Structure formats: structure tokens, C-alpha cells
Amino acid sequence: MSKDERDKLFNGKKDENGKTVDLGVISIRGLKAAEAVKATMERPQHVGNNRNQ
């Protein structure tokens, strides 16, 4: 998942006028839940990075 895709997932997506089109995880679940989701998403990346070394 690219950085831009992660930002849209957590912060939502806005149109060219700045109006919210899609809500992100933070808006729906709250900041604490969003941090837990982000930590869960990053865990496999760390495991894969450690395996390749």
C-alpha cells in the first residue's frame, strides 16, 4: 500500500473543493482505533523486512 493510499484510508478523501468525499478510519472509528489499525498494518512490513536481511 502506497503512502498516498494509506493517507486516504486513515484521513479520508476530499474533492478538489476540499469537501470530504469518503470518511477515513480516524473519522469513523476515532484516533485510538486508527492507531491500532495502523500498527497492525505495519507489523507484517517489519517482519518481511527482517526476513530479507
Side-chain angles (χ1 to χ4, degrees), residues 43-53:
R43 193 173 308 130
Q45 291 176 346
H46 292 297
V47 170
N49 290 340
N50 290 337
R51 187 177 305 162
N52 294 333
Q53 292 178 355

Side-chain angles (χ1 to χ4, degrees), residues 1 4 8 11-12 15-19 21-22 26-28 31 33 35 38-42 47:
M1 182 179 271
D4 188 45
K8 287 179 185 174
N11 299 317
D15 64 8
E16 60 276 352
N17 297 324
K19 185 177 178 183
V21 177
D22 292 323
I26 295 172
S27 298
I28 295 170
L31 184 58
E35 289 173 349
K38 186 175 181 182
T40 301
M41 290 175 60
E42 290 174 346
V47 170

Side-chain angles (χ1 to χ4, degrees), residues 1-12:
M1 182 179 271
S2 71
K3 182 178 179 348
D4 188 45
E5 290 171 329
R6 280 192 306 273
D7 287 343
K8 287 179 185 174
L9 174 69
F10 285 99
N11 299 317

